[in-house]
Amino acid sequence: MAWTRLAPVLTASDADEQARRRAAEMDAADPLAGFRDRFLPLPDGIVYLDGNSLGRPLRSTLEVVAAAIREEWGQGLIGSWSEWTDLPRRVGDELGNALLGSAPGEVVVADSTSVNIYKLVMAAAAARPGRDVLVTEADNFPSDRYVLQGVAQRLGLTLRLVPADIDNGVDLADLAAALDERVAAVCLSHVGYRSGALVDMRAATQLVHDHGALVLWDLCHSVGSVPIDLTGARADLAVGCTYKYLNAGPGAPAFLYVRRDLQEQLSQPIWGWFGQADQFEMDDTYAPMPGIGRFQVGTPPILGVLAVREGVRLLAEAGMEPVRAKGQALTALAAELADRHLAPRGFRIASPRDADQRGSHLTLAHPEARQLVRRLADGGVITDFRTPDRLRLGASALSTSFTDIVEAVLRLRGLAL
Ligand SMILES: *Cc1c(COP(=O)(O)O)cnc(C)c1O
């Protein structure tokens, strides 16, 4: 026993010990440290740096969902729909208020991000008749690009791609060059999934508006990691998922935002009974309800919506300013350690260097990234691989410690010897 305790002290270099000590001090001084206990514990020996793909479960979610099954569903049976019907809009309001800078009645929890992109891009294209171009960034998330390709083909529009640097994201000058009076809608990711590059939402929205087009923001990698002000940016439309930094679980429903003054101008393409004005009148013809509810389609996944609410409430309790500050400190520590320990072993930082210009993950490029991610995982450190040669270190401010970052970097160095 004594030997296993002593071994790391004898073999680790002074620099490693120093890094570990410093991380322990940062953890001790971290005002958000207490939030780590609000999550279900990890299996022994696991370091989890993939919350940007699948956030960890909250203890409270397990209780709330179990209670809803036992009581609302088990006892209340179908009568509970009186409570459930507008839950996606109530949780949408909480989410919008805590995380998006939107007004009540502008956000609803519904469907998946991909489906919501389809609904809103189709609606935006129809709202700009005569315009025949859709725009997105060349390095946008695959589903965004595929949905836009499909919409463009179906409607006979052209999809124009803004070139994007795979380390640093979209340059606003390139966006400006892609815009003209033919453009109906522009779909951009606020934080790039590969590099973590953060786009200036206000400036980009202004550029799109200068050309009379509508902008759709994909917030998947920024919601819950970066403060968002949709109202301040005058954003038109937005979507985002809830299973990354919102910790709502695999397949938890996404959300969508439509600015209040656009809601009655837009018509989404999937006319379902949950968007209908008098749902239970079972009318012969579709007449969408006023407001954000018309962007719903079918029966909402209530248990998933409850999980979204838990994730939103935890972030609201923590506050997005401290969450952002810690996210930046975590990726800054990762960048500093990567420069010192990993650059000599063939790694290169493939995210913006300035923490203000990136979200909450740091991407490293290495020719053997794919194998390194697998071998790291074999040793209990979970990160993820992204093409062509990238490893992402995801920092979730409420569940990731500074010690996690140091452990991941030092293990990676050991593997890349
Ligand atoms: C995760 C992610 C998605 C996921 O879409 P789903 O429909 O939930 O599978 C879409 N866009 C971006 C930018 C993402 O990061």
Side-chain angles (χ1 to χ4, degrees):
M1 196 62 210
W3 280 108
T4 55
R5 282 228 308 282
L6 280 175
V9 180
L10 294 173
T11 56
S13 73
D14 288 349
D16 292 7
E17 275 316 301
Q18 203 183 5
R20 289 197 170 97
R21 250 197 324 272
R22 186 166 144 233
E25 283 165 19
M26 292 172 89
D27 283 328
D30 171 13
L32 299 180
F35 283 91
R36 287 210 296 282
D37 285 337
R38 308 284 286 276
F39 292 80
L40 290 178
L42 288 169
D44 273 348
I46 296 293
V47 174
Y48 192 69
L49 293 178
D50 210 5
N52 54 322
S53 275
L54 180 65
R56 288 171 48 198
L58 310 186
R59 292 179 192 273
S60 70
T61 303
L62 192 59
E63 283 162 27
V64 163
V65 170
I69 293 173
R70 205 181 302 113
E71 287 145 39
E72 293 177 42
W73 181 15
Q75 303 298 306
L77 299 163
I78 198 163
S80 290
W81 272 110
S82 60
E83 287 296 309
W84 292 334
T85 302
D86 68 352
L87 188 69
R89 275 172 283 164
R90 285 188 275 127
V91 175
D93 281 346
E94 280 193 47
L95 194 165
N97 181 52
L99 307 178
L100 306 180
S102 60
E106 291 187 319
V107 176
V108 66
V109 175
D111 303 312
S112 65
T113 300
S114 303
V115 169
N116 288 334
I117 292 172
Y118 176 77
K119 284 150 57 182
L120 295 186
V121 169
M122 289 288 284
R128 289 291 181 275
R131 292 182 173 232
D132 66 345
V133 173
L134 301 175
V135 171
T136 193
E137 65 198 89
D139 199 31
N140 205 347
F141 189 82
S143 209
D144 301 48
R145 288 184 284 110
Y146 303 155
V147 169
L148 287 161
Q149 284 168 13
V151 169
Q153 191 186 73
R154 179 161 303 258
L155 300 181
L157 308 177
T158 300
L159 178 59
R160 197 180 275 169
L161 298 178
V162 182
D165 183 275
I166 81 165
D167 296 346
N168 291 300
V170 182
D171 190 321
L172 288 185
D174 291 328
L175 174 63
L179 298 174
D180 57 31
E181 309 313 306
R182 286 176 59 191
V183 176
V186 178
C187 173
L188 297 170
S189 282
H190 189 206
V191 169
Y193 80 100
R194 196 193 322 258
S195 64
L198 175 66
V199 178
D200 181 338
M201 180 184 283
R202 185 186 295 255
T205 297
Q206 185 61 52
L207 278 176
V208 173
H209 287 174
D210 288 346
H211 295 275
L214 292 165
V215 66
L216 166 58
W217 286 101
D218 185 329
L219 307 176
C220 281
H221 270 84
S222 59
V223 66
S225 72
V226 176
I228 296 167
D229 183 7
L230 292 172
T231 302
R234 299 281 305 145
D236 303 303
L237 309 165
V239 296
C241 61
T242 62
Y243 50 80
K244 293 170 181 165
Y245 295 100
L246 265 56
N247 306 295
F255 62 87
L256 65 83
Y257 157 90
V258 179
R259 204 180 61 228
R260 184 69 196 92
D261 61 292
L262 290 173
Q263 290 172 4
E264 274 79 37
Q265 293 172 35
L266 295 185
S267 171
Q268 60 104 345
I270 312 177
W271 293 4
W273 71 321
F274 265 78
Q276 172 74 357
D278 284 314
Q279 187 182 4
F280 288 98
E281 292 306 312
M282 308 287 182
D283 260 349
D284 287 342
T285 46
Y286 179 74
M289 67 170 85
I292 194 70
R294 62 174 51 205
F295 296 93
Q296 301 177 106
V297 178
T299 307
I302 294 302
L303 300 176
V305 179
L306 290 171
V308 173
R309 189 169 69 184
E310 290 309 298
V312 168
R313 287 184 176 172
L314 194 73
L315 282 157
E317 186 186 330
M320 278 312 297
E321 278 195 24
V323 164
R324 174 61 170 154
K326 183 174 171 193
Q328 289 186 300
L330 287 164
T331 61
L333 178 65
E336 184 195 321
L337 294 170
D339 280 336
R340 182 168 332 134
H341 298 283
L342 300 178
R345 288 173 169 79
F347 291 88
R348 181 175 64 73
I349 290 179
S351 291
R353 281 259 159 202
D354 177 354
D356 287 337
Q357 305 292 323
R358 62 177 184 247
S360 207
H361 67 270
L362 189 80
T363 305
L364 302 172
H366 187 284
E368 285 165 41
R370 194 188 290 268
Q371 295 88 313
L372 287 168
V373 166
R374 205 175 306 134
R375 291 173 59 207
L376 259 187
D378 289 344
V381 178
I382 316 287
T383 61
D384 66 19
F385 170 76
R386 284 294 175 268
T387 55
D389 58 357
R390 271 119 225 266
L391 177 158
R392 296 189 307 178
L393 300 173
S396 298
L398 299 184
S399 56
T400 304
S401 68
F402 292 94
T403 298
D404 291 338
I405 299 286
V406 170
E407 282 309 317
V409 171
L410 296 183
R411 298 251 204 121
L412 199 48
R413 183 192 59 189
L415 293 176
L417 277 176

